């Protein structure tokens, strides 16, 4: 459940309450605002099935109105509790999804290119590189859990689904800077640190097969689904299943040590993971109905989704063909 708080001019109260009632609000309470006599605060209790419709409907009511705000907060519990038959009906209707506003607020910061992001890239690259060089599974898994690159990729999928060019651009720039920093740092480590080709953790990042492609597709879908449903605990497993930093660090280590063929194998693994994550995440966003509110925005988002979907699918087919023709092997 969520509590939606609408702060608006008093003359809009009737429209707000009527729209909230029509769109399935569980409860509605009206309070006068202390700072202004001609303003009201409407507290609306909303459950999962009606949440997105309520947010969209309230925004439609308030379009063209000056000085309004909608705030949504999570509700731990409410008393009196819903009756058993009401609960069963709500479960039947509920898809368990978050609103687009909640999803946007969650992934938006992941597309920010800030100091914290760069520090996480540096730390996870160092951890991944040293973990592979010392053949330590626990250390490599630790680098996977940090997973700073998963956030920008999910932000890109959300930006495509919503047709938000600004979010897409931020996500792409953040991804590219992270990739460049990780590659540069791992290359430096490979130049000064002896690369042991007997390390199973390192060599496992030099090849990829169709099983790896299937894992990446499923993991990308799971990541997007966990974001759309609010089950964030599932992301930890996704981070480990389809980590981006270890193969990226492996590319730099192999290049620094002069093993070009192995570096190409690691680059192919990284490419498969990135393409599969973005393609499957976009499909999940489409299946969950994560779209903009207005008709024009939905039209633009649909075009962006088609273009990006075709690009990712073409890249996936190209990678699959490359895997079919020749899988890179260690020299």
């Amino acid at each position: 459940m969520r509590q939606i708080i609408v702060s608006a001019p008093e003359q809009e109260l009737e429209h707000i309450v009527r729209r909230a009632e029509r769109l399935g609000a569980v409860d509605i309470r009206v309070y006068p605002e202390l700072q202004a006599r001609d303003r009201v605060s409407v507290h609306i209790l909303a459950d999962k099935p009606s949440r997105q419709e309520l947010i969209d409907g309230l925004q439609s009511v308030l379009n063209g109105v000056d000085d309004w705000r909608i705030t949504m907060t999570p509700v731990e519990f409410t008393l009196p509790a819903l009756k058993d038959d009401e609960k069963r009906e709500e479960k039947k209707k509920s898809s368990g999804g978050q609103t687009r506003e909640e999803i946007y607020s969650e992934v938006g910061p992941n597309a920010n290119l800030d100091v914290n992001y760069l520090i996480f890239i540096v730390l996870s690259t160092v951890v991944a590189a040293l973990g592979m060089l010392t053949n330590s599974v626990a250390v490599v898994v630790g680098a996977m859990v940090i997973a700073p690159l998963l956030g920008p990729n999910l932000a890109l999928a959300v930006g495509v689904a919503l047709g938000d060019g600004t979010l897409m651009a931020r996500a792409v720039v953040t991804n590219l800077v992270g990739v460049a920093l990780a590659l540069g740092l791992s290359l430096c480590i490979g130049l000064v640190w002896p690369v042991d080709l007997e390390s199973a953790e390192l060599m496992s990042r030099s090849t990829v097969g169709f099983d790896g492609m299937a894992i990446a597709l499923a993991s990308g879908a799971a990541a997007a689904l966990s974001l759309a449903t609010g089950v964030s605990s599932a992301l930890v497993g996704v981070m480990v299943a389809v980590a981006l930093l270890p193969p990226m660090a492996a590319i730099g280590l192999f290049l620094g040590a002069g093993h070009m063929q192995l570096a190409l194998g690691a680059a192919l693994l990284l490419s498969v993971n990135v393409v599969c994550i973005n393609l499957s995440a976009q499909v999940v966003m489409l299946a969950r109905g994560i779209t903009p509110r207005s008709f024009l925005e939905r039209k633009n988002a649909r075009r962006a989704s088609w273009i990006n979907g075709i690009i990712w699918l073409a890249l996936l087919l190209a990678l699959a063909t490359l895997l079919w023709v020749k899988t890179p092997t260690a020299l």
Side-chain angles (χ1 to χ4, degrees):
M1 278 189 158
R2 298 289 188 271
Q3 184 179 54
I4 302 172
I5 303 172
V6 184
S7 173
E10 189 175 11
Q11 60 265 27
E12 302 300 325
L13 174 60
E14 183 180 351
H15 303 294
I16 293 170
V17 172
R18 193 186 311 157
R19 184 63 63 92
E21 289 176 342
R22 187 164 64 83
L23 293 177
V26 177
D27 190 30
I28 303 172
R29 305 287 170 171
V30 180
Y31 305 94
E33 292 194 358
L34 299 178
Q35 302 298 327
R37 295 180 180 177
D38 59 343
R39 294 183 60 81
V40 292
S41 180
V42 184
H43 292 223
I44 303 168
L45 193 62
D47 212 344
K48 287 178 180 176
S50 59
R51 219 154 60 202
Q52 186 66 73
E53 290 183 0
L54 266 169
I55 292 293
D56 291 347
L58 293 171
Q59 288 184 79
S60 298
V61 167
L62 296 170
N63 273 347
V65 177
D66 294 329
D67 194 18
W68 60 271
R69 182 165 297 279
I70 297 176
T71 305
M72 184 161 56
T73 60
V75 176
E76 296 295 334
F77 72 93
T78 180
L79 294 175
L82 292 175
K83 297 177 182 178
D84 289 342
D85 57 343
E86 290 176 341
K87 287 181 181 178
R88 283 193 293 269
E89 186 63 25
E90 293 299 329
K91 274 187 178 180
K92 208 178 292 182
K93 294 189 297 180
S94 175
S95 60
Q98 297 200 96
T99 63
R100 77 174 72 85
E101 289 78 12
E102 290 174 291
I103 294 173
Y104 189 93
S105 65
E106 189 170 338
V107 303
N110 293 334
N112 292 338
L113 182 59
D114 53 22
V115 175
N116 290 332
Y117 172 75
L118 297 178
I119 291 175
F120 276 125
I121 288 288
V122 171
L123 294 177
S124 56
T125 302
V126 171
V127 171
L130 296 183
M132 289 185 292
L133 289 173
T134 58
N135 198 30
S136 173
V137 177
V139 175
V140 175
V141 170
M144 292 175 176
V145 173
I146 298 174
L149 289 173
L150 183 60
N153 279 281
L154 290 178
L156 178 60
V158 173
V160 171
L162 297 179
D164 189 330
T166 302
L167 181 60
M168 284 189 281
R170 284 168 48 208
V172 169
V173 170
T174 301
N175 263 313
L176 290 177
V177 172
V179 168
L181 179 58
L183 284 176
L185 182 57
S186 58
L187 177 61
C188 293
I189 295 174
L191 290 171
V192 301
W193 197 292
V195 174
D196 182 11
L197 298 184
E198 298 298 319
S199 170
E201 284 298 308
L202 180 60
M203 295 306 294
S204 66
R205 270 79 192 183
S206 65
T207 59
V208 61
F210 287 103
D211 55 343
M213 185 175 289
I215 291 171
L217 284 169
S219 299
L225 189 60
S226 67
L227 175 66
T229 57
V231 187
S232 56
S233 59
L235 279 175
V236 176
V238 172
M239 293 170 184
V240 175
V242 63
L244 300 176
L245 242 302
M248 191 176 303
I251 296 173
L253 293 176
F254 286 135
L255 288 176
H259 300 289
M260 183 60 68
Q261 186 72 17
L262 295 176
L264 290 175
L268 182 57
L269 172 60
L270 176 64
S271 300
V272 166
N273 285 349
V274 170
V275 170
C276 290
I277 286 175
N278 281 278
L279 179 60
S280 57
Q282 187 174 329
V283 170
V284 169
M285 291 294 169
L286 181 63
R288 297 288 302 185
I290 308 300
T291 59
R293 184 171 61 90
S294 70
F295 172 78
L296 183 58
E297 289 174 331
R298 283 197 299 271
K299 183 178 178 181
N300 293 333
R302 196 177 299 116
R303 181 162 55 252
S305 295
W306 272 107
I307 294 173
N308 280 271
I310 291 172
I311 291 174
W312 290 123
L313 185 58
L315 289 173
L316 181 64
L317 293 175
L319 290 171
T321 302
L322 188 58
L323 288 177
W324 181 267
V325 173
K326 180 181 179 181
T327 301
T329 56
L331 291 180

